[in-house]
């Protein structure tokens, strides 16, 4: 057996100390960029220019017009635990700056080659330091306007173990882009520019509104459904921002952004409060859009939980949870209060508006006098059953029906329960009550059932749908985020029956669409695929089904409910919705007896 060698405790050399500190602060190019931009904001800059190459591994450059540093301070900035942002232990509980540890710059410099230039102004004479893996190689005066510029090159070249954990250049580029976007949303009075590989990717002029900046990041379709959030609690806690309508929910949570005192953070408590506000309005696998800014007294927040300051701790978690939940809930309720009830449209038009398909198999008849019937009667009686006199007579008999126990099963006078379900009605505007001779009382989730129907209809179009030529091509402008999504989705869209040309990066010309979709549906379908950035057919079908299905809280006329039940009965895997949630639950007679302790 190998015995462990007892070693003497020693203080690590400065170079190794810096590399260990770097492991806490510097995870990837995006984390370096975050630290540098925070320094610029703390310096009071209102113009920040970011330039990267090779996803940030080759170069990360940040130049600002903030308060520059003098010759002595420039060198101190690269010394561990040197900072201007805290003086005493009391300051640790009242931090109002982004950075304060004094570890970022020396840690970054220990795993890269750094050129750091700064000028306090007003004279254009500053100082430049050249540092290689933690060692200062040269310090000299330089002509520079007021502000600072730092260039970080060859990140992790001297730590191959760290280098091999970086993702592809494109992935690292996207992470850096997300950093700039988040800061731009939180600091509307600051001008930001982002260049990658010599190409200007983002440009945010000064004093844009939040929606104007979101317009450069998110597709227009998402912006149209955003709701304003503005709410304040007595403790001085305040929340502002925007959230998405439940109708525009997505399959991923990538468009949920939280800021605490303008600091971008990731926190399960905040996410939990947001989801609680949407409870009953979203499925478990759906996510809303949200850009929310929490203003909380500095003494109530601990930002020193994580070296990168991406996590925070709250003194009163319940108050913060309530702030998120109540603020977002108020915005959603305001929206619902402005909506008006559905007008006297026909049942066929109402249901067809949610299917996306027109199938003769599921056409409606008018049953305005019908108060009760078996599903078998509704689906099999045909045109002869539309006689008004017969409907009235049938409805009268059903109203007088009495449910009786029959050898442990259900029966009812005036109802034909030989086969199929008996529809009893809708409860809570969300569930359909059914009766089955063998299974007892059943409860059908109308949204889950309709999702299953639509999912199978969409899926039934096949992977290689017939296509129809358009007399005139449809021109669609592409948002920046949609351009990347189209690159991934193009092969899938072509298999589905779309064909298109790309005259330029910012637009496409659609030549053909699937025959199963009309022109309006085809546009909506394409928008959803590009907005959600979906990658598989089943993801597409699930999204489209969920978007168009009848929602919980919607009242269904009796004939609409019967038609839905009929379509759902014909589905495979009908016991669950496409997301896996149960569509049907049952209560047998014995369970009811037990509930009432009989």
């Amino acid at each position: 057996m190998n015995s462990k060698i007892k070693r003497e405790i020693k203080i690590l050399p400065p170079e190794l100390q810096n590399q260990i500190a770097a492991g806490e602060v510097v995870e990837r190019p995006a984390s370096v960029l975050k630290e540098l931009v925070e320094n610029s904001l703390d310096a009071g800059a209102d113009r920040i220019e970011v330039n990267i190459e090779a996803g940030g591994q080759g170069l990360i450059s940040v130049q600002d017009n903030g308060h520059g540093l003098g010759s002595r301070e420039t060198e101190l900035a690269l010394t561990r635990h040197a900072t201007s942002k805290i003086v005493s232990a009391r300051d640790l509980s009242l931090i109002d700056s982004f950075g304060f540890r004094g570890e970022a710059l020396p840690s970054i410099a220990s795993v890269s080659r750094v050129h750091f230039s700064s000028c306090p102004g007003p004279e254009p004479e500053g100082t430049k330091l050249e540092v290689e893996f933690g060692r200062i190689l040269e310090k000299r005066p330089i002509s520079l306007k007021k502000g600072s510029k730092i260039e970080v090159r060859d990140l992790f070249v001297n730590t191959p173990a760290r280098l091999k954990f970086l993702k592809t250049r494109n992935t690292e580029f996207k992470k850096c882009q997300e950093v700039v976007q988040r800061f731009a949303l939180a600091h509307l009075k600051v001008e930001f520019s982002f260049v990658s590989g010599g190409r200007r990717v983002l440009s945010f002029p000064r004093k844009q509104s939040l929606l104007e900046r979101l317009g450069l990041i998110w597709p227009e379709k998402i912006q149209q459904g955003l709701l304003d959030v503005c709410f304040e609690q007595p403790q001085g806690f305040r929340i502002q921002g925007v959230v998405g309508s439940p109708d525009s929910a997505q399959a991923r949570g990538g468009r949920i952004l939280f800021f605490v005192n303008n600091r971008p953070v990731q926190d399960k408590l905040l996410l939990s409060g947001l989801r609680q506000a949407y409870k009953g309005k979203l499925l478990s696998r759906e996510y809303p859009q949200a850009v929310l800014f929490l203003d909380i007294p500095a003494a109530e927040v601990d930002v020193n939980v994580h070296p990168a300051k991406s996590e925070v701790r709250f003194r009163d978690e319940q108050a913060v949870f309530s702030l998120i939940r109540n603020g977002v809930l108020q915005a959603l309720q305001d929206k619902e209060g402005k909506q008006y009830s559905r007008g006297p449209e026909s049942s066929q038009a109402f249901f067809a508006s949610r299917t996306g398909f027109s199938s003769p198999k599921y056409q409606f008849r008018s049953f305005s006098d019908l108060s009760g019937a078996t599903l078998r009667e509704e689906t099999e009686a045909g045109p002869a059953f539309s006689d008004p006199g017969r409907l009235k007579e049938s409805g009268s008999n059903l109203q007088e029906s009495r449910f009786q126990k029959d050898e442990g099963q259900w029966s009812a006078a005036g109802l034909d329960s030989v086969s199929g379900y008996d529809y009893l009605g809708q409860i809570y505007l969300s569930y359909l009550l059914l009766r089955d001779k063998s299974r007892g009382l059943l409860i059908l989730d109308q949204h889950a059932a309709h999702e299953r129907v639509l999912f199978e209809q969409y899926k039934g179009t096949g992977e290689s749908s017939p296509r129809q030529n358009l007399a005139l091509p449809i021109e669609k402008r592409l948002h920046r985020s949609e351009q990347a999504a189209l690159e991934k989705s193009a092969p899938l869209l072509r298999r589905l029956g779309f064909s298109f040309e790309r005259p330029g990066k910012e637009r496409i010309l659609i030549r053909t669409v699937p025959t199963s979709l009309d022109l309006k549906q085809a546009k909506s379908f394409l928008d959803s695929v590009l907005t959600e950035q979906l990658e598989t057919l089943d993801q597409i079908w699930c999204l489209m089904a969920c978007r168009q299905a009848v929602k919980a809280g919607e009242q269904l006329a009796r004939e609409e409910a019967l038609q839905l039940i009929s379509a759902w009965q014909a589905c495979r895997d009908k016991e669950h919705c496409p997301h896996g949630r149960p569509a049907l639950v049952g209560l047998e007679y014995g369970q009811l007896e037990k509930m009432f302790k009989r």
Side-chain angles (χ1 to χ4, degrees):
M1 294 180 61
N2 294 327
S3 60
K4 292 184 178 179
I5 300 174
K6 184 178 179 180
R7 294 180 177 175
E8 182 182 355
I9 297 176
K10 295 181 179 180
I11 297 176
L12 296 175
E15 294 82 3
L16 191 52
Q17 289 181 27
N18 286 338
Q19 288 197 9
I20 292 173
E24 297 177 338
V25 178
V26 185
E27 299 173 321
R28 63 195 322 158
S31 59
V32 172
L33 179 57
K34 173 181 175 293
E35 297 288 344
L36 300 183
V37 173
E38 286 181 344
N39 283 342
S40 294
L41 291 170
D42 282 340
D46 65 1
R47 186 180 69 251
I48 300 175
E49 301 172 8
V50 176
N51 188 353
I52 70 169
E53 294 177 3
Q57 198 272 323
L59 169 68
I60 302 171
S61 171
V62 175
Q63 184 167 6
D64 66 59
N65 66 343
H67 309 303
L69 303 177
S71 176
R72 178 176 173 274
E73 288 183 306
T74 303
E75 192 166 344
L76 277 175
L78 290 164
T79 304
R80 288 193 67 196
H81 305 304
T83 180
S84 63
K85 299 167 186 176
I86 60 174
V87 177
S88 66
R90 182 176 178 273
D91 295 338
L92 290 173
S93 62
L94 297 171
I95 295 167
D96 59 1
S97 61
F98 289 109
F100 69 89
R101 285 174 166 266
E103 293 179 353
L105 284 181
S107 297
I108 293 168
S110 71
V111 289
S112 64
R113 295 183 173 94
V114 172
H115 287 187
F116 179 30
S117 305
S118 191
C119 175
E123 297 298 326
E125 183 174 331
T127 304
K128 181 174 182 178
L129 289 178
E130 292 187 16
V131 185
E132 186 174 87
F133 307 127
R135 294 182 299 109
I136 297 178
L137 300 182
E138 185 181 7
K139 178 180 179 181
R140 67 176 186 271
I142 186 176
S143 177
L144 185 72
K145 292 182 180 179
K146 179 184 176 182
S148 298
K149 180 178 182 180
I150 185 165
E151 297 177 339
V152 178
R153 299 180 185 274
D154 302 327
L155 186 64
F156 298 146
V157 166
N158 66 327
T159 54
R162 202 84 61 78
L163 188 62
K164 70 179 182 181
F165 282 98
L166 293 183
K167 304 300 182 182
T168 65
R169 289 184 177 183
N170 189 50
T171 298
E172 298 298 341
F173 154 75
K174 288 181 179 178
K175 295 291 183 183
C176 290
Q177 181 177 341
E178 289 171 3
V179 168
V180 176
Q181 290 174 173
R182 285 189 174 95
F183 279 117
L185 293 177
H187 301 274
L188 301 179
K189 295 181 179 180
V190 179
E191 175 185 336
F192 289 89
S193 68
F194 178 53
V195 175
S196 174
R199 179 176 65 92
R200 186 172 295 276
V201 179
L202 294 170
S203 181
F204 298 97
R206 283 191 192 91
K207 298 183 180 180
Q208 287 179 307
S209 68
L210 177 62
L211 291 180
E212 285 174 329
R213 291 203 165 177
L214 279 175
L216 299 174
I217 301 171
W218 289 356
E220 182 179 357
K221 183 179 179 181
I222 291 179
Q223 300 170 57
Q224 291 173 348
L226 293 178
L227 310 173
D228 290 328
V229 176
C230 186
F231 184 78
E232 190 167 359
Q233 291 185 167
Q235 307 97 314
F237 291 11
R238 180 182 176 87
I239 183 172
Q240 299 180 82
V242 293
V243 293
S245 165
D247 297 336
S248 61
Q250 299 176 291
R252 301 180 182 180
R255 291 192 173 105
I256 297 177
L257 304 176
F258 293 113
F259 300 83
V260 175
N261 297 340
N262 276 355
R263 184 191 303 277
V265 299
Q266 300 173 347
D267 191 278
K268 291 182 180 179
L269 176 70
L270 304 183
L271 182 60
S272 177
L274 178 67
R275 293 200 68 88
Q276 185 67 24
Y278 282 88
K279 187 175 181 180
K281 298 177 175 63
L282 299 179
L283 297 177
S284 60
R285 298 183 185 181
E286 289 184 321
Y287 298 88
Q289 302 86 24
V291 181
L292 295 172
F293 301 89
L294 285 74
D295 295 323
I296 299 177
E300 297 291 325
V301 187
D302 181 3
V303 300
N304 195 22
V305 178
H306 189 276
K309 302 178 290 296
S310 59
E311 301 174 11
V312 294
R313 184 186 294 125
F314 303 102
R315 177 175 294 180
D316 189 344
E317 292 188 344
Q318 184 58 48
V320 175
F321 179 89
S322 298
L323 178 69
I324 290 271
R325 178 189 176 278
N326 294 338
V328 175
L329 193 58
Q330 181 185 73
L332 295 174
Q333 289 173 342
D334 287 347
K335 172 184 179 293
E336 292 170 356
K338 294 175 183 177
Q339 290 179 328
Y340 49 85
S341 60
R342 183 162 45 93
E345 60 181 333
S346 69
S347 299
Q348 180 173 344
F350 165 73
F351 196 83
S353 69
R354 288 160 171 77
T355 62
F357 289 92
S358 297
S359 173
K361 181 179 178 180
Y362 301 131
Q363 295 299 315
F364 283 127
R365 301 184 299 277
S366 176
F367 296 123
S368 57
D369 294 325
L370 183 62
S371 59
T374 64
L375 183 60
R376 181 182 178 188
E377 286 174 328
E378 285 305 312
T379 56
E380 296 180 1
F385 197 63
S386 62
D387 176 72
R390 183 177 175 185
L391 288 175
K392 185 175 181 180
E393 180 183 354
S394 174
S396 176
N397 290 339
L398 290 169
Q399 284 178 325
E400 297 171 359
S401 67
R402 296 293 183 267
F403 296 100
Q404 302 169 344
K405 177 184 174 187
D406 180 15
E407 297 181 355
Q409 303 296 335
W410 290 67
S411 65
L415 283 177
D416 180 6
S417 299
V418 176
S419 65
Y421 301 123
D422 296 321
Y423 174 56
L424 306 180
Q426 183 188 35
I427 59 172
Y428 303 118
L429 298 180
S430 300
Y431 304 100
L432 308 181
L433 287 184
L434 311 175
R435 187 183 57 185
D436 179 76
K437 184 175 181 180
S438 61
R439 299 175 63 182
L441 180 66
L442 303 176
I443 305 173
L444 182 66
D445 183 327
Q446 65 191 39
H447 178 75
H450 198 192
E451 269 194 316
R452 173 54 64 182
V453 171
L454 296 178
F455 178 79
E456 294 202 2
Q457 286 181 336
Y458 283 121
K459 196 169 184 176
T461 61
E463 296 187 10
S464 300
S465 302
R467 62 187 65 192
Q468 54 182 322
N469 295 315
L470 301 178
L472 294 173
I474 305 172
E475 181 175 356
K476 174 177 170 55
R477 305 291 297 183
L478 292 175
H479 188 272
R480 185 181 292 107
S481 63
E482 293 177 317
Q483 295 171 21
L486 183 61
E487 296 293 335
K488 291 184 177 180
S489 303
L492 180 61
L493 290 169
R494 289 190 174 96
R495 285 164 58 193
L496 294 175
F498 288 92
S499 64
F500 45 83
E501 299 173 2
R502 296 278 306 269
K505 288 186 177 181
E506 298 182 353
R507 65 191 184 107
I508 61 172
L509 296 176
I510 304 168
R511 298 288 185 183
T512 69
V513 298
T515 55
S516 57
L517 302 176
D518 62 28
L519 197 57
K520 183 178 179 181
Q521 292 163 357
K523 289 180 179 178
S524 175
F525 185 97
L526 185 61
D527 287 343
S528 296
V529 171
L530 297 183
T531 300
E532 295 285 342
Q533 301 183 16
L534 304 180
E535 299 176 358
T536 68
L537 283 168
D538 277 1
Q539 287 178 343
I540 291 176
W541 306 142
C542 281
L543 170 70
M544 298 301 290
C546 185
R547 288 282 181 85
Q548 298 192 15
V550 173
K551 300 294 187 292
E554 292 192 33
Q555 184 172 2
L556 296 184
R558 192 171 191 84
E559 58 269 24
E560 295 168 347
L562 291 169
Q563 188 63 42
L564 173 57
I565 297 165
S566 176
W568 171 76
Q569 273 187 310
C571 293
R572 298 175 298 175
D573 302 322
K574 63 176 178 284
E575 298 293 324
H576 295 85
C577 78
H579 301 92
R581 292 193 307 110
L584 188 74
V585 295
L587 284 174
E588 296 180 355
Y589 178 73
Q591 291 175 286
L592 292 176
E593 291 272 276
K594 186 176 181 180
M595 288 179 183
F596 288 100
K597 300 183 179 180
R598 301 189 65 173

